[in-house]
Amino acid sequence: MMNKILLDESENKYKANLHSHSRVSDGKFTPAAAKEAYMKHGYSIIAFTDHDVLIPHDELNDENFLALHGYEMEFSAPWMKGESHKTCHICLIQRDPENLKQVCWHREKYTVIGNSAKYKDAVQFYENEPDFEREHTAENINAVIKAGREHGFFVTYNHPTWSMEDYTDYMNFHGMHAMEICNYGCYVDGYEEYNPRVYDDMLRGGERIFCIGADDNHNWCDDDAPQFESFGAFTVIFAKELTYKAVMDAIFAGNFYASQGPEIYSLTMDDEKIRIKCSPARRIYLTTNGRHIQFRYAKDAPVTEAEFAIPKDNTYFRITVEDGEGKHANTNAYFLD
């Protein structure tokens, strides 16, 4: 009999924000202030993904905190009056902490958001490669995704609703490692940025990708304002230890889940059943590439575990935990082949 541990409850669990801005570009917090604020809310990891410049923050690392090296790129369509101004944003997080070279660099353009131009001279890039011109086209965006993967980056597709992108756009993007199933910064700004439908669209279209939760925190408001952008969506990483290698190995392996609040303690399967344990929820449901949906609802008390039959006539499954406040935790998709 096959027994497979998908999320191992014996592993250490690290709360992470994998999309974060600081004063290096257009965020309110310095990197050190971001560390302090996030650690107070139980976080152990921040990927600093400031716009267009990869600046390491190894000085923040200690036995309880890890800074990951990353940056965000933007690809915007020309503005036309009366039309949606579409853009595509992707984050790139480097697997190798010693490799700080950016892919698809331009020596003159694009470091224009916030303070990023002040850090331009600190950027490392592949000097033998020509300047990369950005366009809001699938060909251009896919070229960056491909280059990112080839040079060791974990590539995520960000906030499609805020970006004004729809099915005709994102279904032409291929090869990213993950998409943001929830971007809290855009969500509190009023955008419908909890996107399980987009995730299923991509999965059903053939992409084998993970899903993450992230803040995208800029925080240009008071800390107690309703639209404060931090601590609302996160990724929980199951790893052996809080080291750069162990964490990035876990990320690339998909050993994590995305959440707005609920916790997932374990996920296992055998030849017949999938089993999940979690924090108290009002419902737990299993989604597939078809209409084979299974669910368990709370009755007299919240539900904290569920067992589902293997959906043998489908290609993948994923599980959602919904708590009493309507907040969700989402597993990655697991493919049955």
Side-chain angles (χ1 to χ4, degrees), residues 63 100 146 164 322:
E63 62 182 7
L100 301 179
K146 182 175 184 291
M164 306 296 290
E322 182 180 317

Side-chain angles (χ1 to χ4, degrees), residues 154-209:
F154 184 83
V155 183
T156 67
Y157 173 57
N158 304 338
H159 48 60
T161 304
W162 180 91
S163 298
M164 306 296 290
E165 294 192 309
D166 57 32
Y167 187 92
T168 63
D169 300 300
Y170 59 72
M171 291 303 288
N172 293 306
F173 304 151
H174 304 299
M176 71 286 288
H177 291 98
M179 63 86 61
E180 289 182 341
I181 199 165
C182 185
N183 181 299
Y184 186 66
C186 296
Y187 180 83
V188 297
D189 281 344
Y191 296 89
E192 192 57 55
E193 210 63 77
Y194 174 56
N195 277 308
R197 173 59 186 271
V198 175
Y199 189 37
D200 280 317
D201 282 345
M202 290 183 161
L203 294 168
R204 291 165 183 164
E207 297 299 306
R208 297 201 170 201
I209 61 174

Side-chain angles (χ1 to χ4, degrees), residues 271-272 274 286-294 309-317 335-337:
D271 292 328
E272 300 295 331
I274 303 159
L286 177 145
T287 304
T288 71
N289 60 297
R291 292 194 179 96
H292 191 125
I293 292 180
Q294 303 175 52
I310 299 287
K312 298 183 184 298
D313 56 340
N314 290 271
T315 58
Y316 75 83
F317 72 87
F335 286 82
L336 295 168
D337 59 1

Side-chain angles (χ1 to χ4, degrees), residues 6-264:
L6 304 176
L7 292 175
D8 187 349
E9 62 184 333
S10 70
E11 292 272 292
N12 295 317
K13 301 170 185 65
Y14 300 110
K15 191 174 180 180
N17 182 18
L18 298 181
H19 182 176
S20 179
H21 297 286
S22 74
R23 288 188 188 172
V24 171
S25 60
D26 60 344
K28 174 182 177 180
F29 291 140
T30 64
K35 171 187 174 178
E36 180 181 4
Y38 272 84
M39 288 189 72
K40 288 179 180 178
H41 285 79
Y43 287 75
S44 302
I45 300 166
I46 296 178
F48 288 94
T49 54
D50 277 299
H51 291 282
D52 306 308
V53 290
L54 190 163
I55 304 298
H57 300 290
D58 292 326
E59 72 281 359
L60 302 179
N61 294 340
D62 56 40
E63 62 182 7
N64 297 310
F65 184 82
L66 179 66
L68 302 178
H69 308 327
Y71 64 110
E72 185 175 24
M73 294 182 70
E74 314 81 33
F75 308 81
S76 297
W79 186 86
M80 297 183 67
K81 186 176 181 180
E83 294 188 9
S84 300
H85 184 209
K86 292 186 176 184
T87 186
C88 177
H89 288 206
I90 64 173
C91 282
L92 302 96
I93 304 171
Q94 179 54 251
R95 184 171 197 162
D96 179 0
E98 302 302 318
N99 182 4
L100 301 179
K101 290 187 177 181
Q102 296 187 203
V103 298
C104 302
W105 177 251
H106 196 291
R107 293 166 178 81
E108 302 297 332
K109 297 181 180 179
Y110 307 121
T111 51
V112 296
I113 298 177
N115 296 313
S116 59
K118 298 178 181 179
Y119 295 86
K120 186 173 182 178
D121 291 343
V123 168
Q124 300 179 37
F125 60 95
Y126 294 91
E127 297 184 8
N128 60 328
E129 294 184 358
D131 289 340
F132 186 87
E133 297 282 352
R134 301 184 195 178
E135 300 174 352
H136 187 258
T137 65
E139 180 182 12
N140 193 260
I141 293 161
N142 289 335
V144 175
I145 294 171
K146 182 175 184 291
R149 292 184 69 115
E150 289 176 348
H151 290 85
F153 287 96
F154 184 83
V155 183
T156 67
Y157 173 57
N158 304 338
H159 48 60
T161 304
W162 180 91
S163 298
M164 306 296 290
E165 294 192 309
D166 57 32
Y167 187 92
T168 63
D169 300 300
Y170 59 72
M171 291 303 288
N172 293 306
F173 304 151
H174 304 299
M176 71 286 288
H177 291 98
M179 63 86 61
E180 289 182 341
I181 199 165
C182 185
N183 181 299
Y184 186 66
C186 296
Y187 180 83
V188 297
D189 281 344
Y191 296 89
E192 192 57 55
E193 210 63 77
Y194 174 56
N195 277 308
R197 173 59 186 271
V198 175
Y199 189 37
D200 280 317
D201 282 345
M202 290 183 161
L203 294 168
R204 291 165 183 164
E207 297 299 306
R208 297 201 170 201
I209 61 174
F210 305 132
C211 65
I212 66 169
D215 278 339
D216 193 8
N217 53 296
H218 300 88
N219 300 124
W220 289 110
C221 61
D222 293 335
D223 293 4
D224 58 354
Q227 68 270 32
F228 189 68
E229 298 176 340
S230 290
F231 325 125
F234 51 90
T235 303
V236 177
I237 301 165
F238 290 59
K240 295 185 182 302
E241 58 186 3
L242 190 63
T243 63
Y244 205 107
K245 182 180 187 306
V247 167
M248 290 308 300
D249 285 351
I251 288 175
F252 273 86
N255 295 335
F256 59 83
Y257 66 89
S259 184
Q260 302 161 358
E263 297 178 84
I264 296 174

